[in-house]
């Protein structure tokens, strides 16, 4: 059975790190929304005379946010239709609330839930300091705005998004990514993703 695994959570919790580690055990198309749409969003923001790293402006949210997510969705659909496992990495907050979103993805790939095992891994942390230090350590330009405006950006790192998809509770894992990503934690993730 194909696997479609979503790695969700706020910035700095380690979604990409967790997904990369799990990809060592489960071959999958690795689709990070920042990678798929980031360059285009930055170019458009710059053309508009705005900070190319700011993903919190009203302009971004109203004009560019859905373009990034829809592009990631389209690449996901293509990979599912081609028979690939897919890892999707991004917060997906609005998409998780939309009950029809996952149904639309599977239908567009001409697949069903009997053919694709959909899982959601919500990556959380225990404190804001750890989130801040991880964002600093990864050293990406897209985080400049977050760090320069940390007081405005701060969000609860243990935030669990509303998940309104028609999937079993057993297909949702709240994963505390505080501390070292040990072999035992990786094994927990692997078993969850594979349904073992």
């Amino acid at each position: 059975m194909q696997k479609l695994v979503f790695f969700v959570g706020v910035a700095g919790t380690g979604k990409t790190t967790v997904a990369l580690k799990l990809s060592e055990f489960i071959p999958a198309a690795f689709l990070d929304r920042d990678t798929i749409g980031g360059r285009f969003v930055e170019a458009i923001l710059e053309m508009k005379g705005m900070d190319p790293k700011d993903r919190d402006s009203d302009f971004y949210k109203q004009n560019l946010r859905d373009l990034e997510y829809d592009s990631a969705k389209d690449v996901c659909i293509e990979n599912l239709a081609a028979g690939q496992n897919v890892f999707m990495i991004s917060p997906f907050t609005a998409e998780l609330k939309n009950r029809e979103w996952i149904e639309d993805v599977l239908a567009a790939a001409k697949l069903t839930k009997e053919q694709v095992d959909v899982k959601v891994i919500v990556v959380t942390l225990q404190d804001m300091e750890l989130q801040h230090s991880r964002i600093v350590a990864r050293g990406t330009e897209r985080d400049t705005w977050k760090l320069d405006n940390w007081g405005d950006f701060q969000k609860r790192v243990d935030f669990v998004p509303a998940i309104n998809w028609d999937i079993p509770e057993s297909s949702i894992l709240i994963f505390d990514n505080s501390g070292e990503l040990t072999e035992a934690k990786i094994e927990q993730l692997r078993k969850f993703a594979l349904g073992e």
Side-chain angles (χ1 to χ4, degrees):
M1 178 182 271
Q2 278 178 260
K3 305 294 179 185
L4 173 54
V5 185
F6 290 82
F7 297 81
V8 305
V10 298
T13 53
K15 298 181 295 295
T16 302
T17 300
V18 169
L20 277 170
K21 188 50 93 171
L22 195 54
S23 72
E24 294 176 16
F25 303 93
I26 302 171
F30 194 90
L31 308 182
D32 188 320
R33 187 257 318 164
D34 283 329
T35 305
I36 290 169
R39 290 180 189 269
F40 300 100
V41 166
E42 289 171 11
I44 292 167
L45 288 172
E46 203 161 23
M47 283 189 288
K48 289 294 210 177
M50 304 174 75
D51 182 346
K53 310 302 177 198
D54 182 0
R55 299 298 196 277
D56 289 283
S57 69
D58 287 338
F59 178 84
Y60 168 79
K61 290 174 182 174
Q62 292 169 13
N63 299 284
L64 302 175
R65 188 251 183 223
D66 289 347
L67 286 173
E68 274 196 296
Y69 277 86
D70 289 345
S71 296
K73 175 182 172 182
D74 290 344
V75 178
C76 173
I77 290 166
E78 286 186 344
N79 277 277
L80 287 174
Q84 301 298 314
N85 295 324
V86 178
F87 285 1
M88 295 284 278
I89 302 100
S90 201
F92 288 102
T93 311
E95 291 71 19
L96 290 166
K97 289 178 186 173
N98 180 351
R99 190 172 181 85
E100 299 306 313
W101 191 87
I102 193 64
E103 309 294 336
D104 292 345
V105 167
L106 295 175
K110 297 184 174 27
L111 295 166
T112 66
K113 288 182 195 155
E114 288 70 39
Q115 297 168 299
V116 180
D117 185 20
V118 178
K119 300 281 177 78
V120 178
I121 298 174
V122 182
V123 184
T124 66
L125 294 176
Q126 292 177 354
D127 65 78
M128 291 298 300
E129 290 305 313
L130 182 55
Q131 181 192 29
H132 186 271
S133 66
R134 286 187 177 176
I135 289 175
V136 169
R138 70 186 183 188
T140 63
E141 286 187 28
R142 71 174 184 270
D143 290 326
T144 303
W145 187 91
K146 292 181 187 82
L147 294 171
D148 289 347
N149 298 274
W150 189 249
D152 294 330
F153 174 74
Q154 280 187 337
K155 297 174 182 154
R156 288 182 53 84
V157 294
D158 61 354
F159 169 76
V160 176
I163 302 172
N164 294 327
W165 294 349
D166 182 22
I167 59 175
E169 284 292 318
S170 59
S171 292
I172 301 168
L173 175 67
I174 312 303
F175 180 73
D176 180 3
N177 194 33
S178 304
E180 184 184 350
L181 192 54
T182 62
E183 287 185 15
K185 290 180 181 178
I186 295 162
E187 180 63 7
Q188 175 197 8
L189 290 164
R190 189 192 68 79
K191 285 184 173 179
F192 168 76
L194 292 176
E196 294 181 355

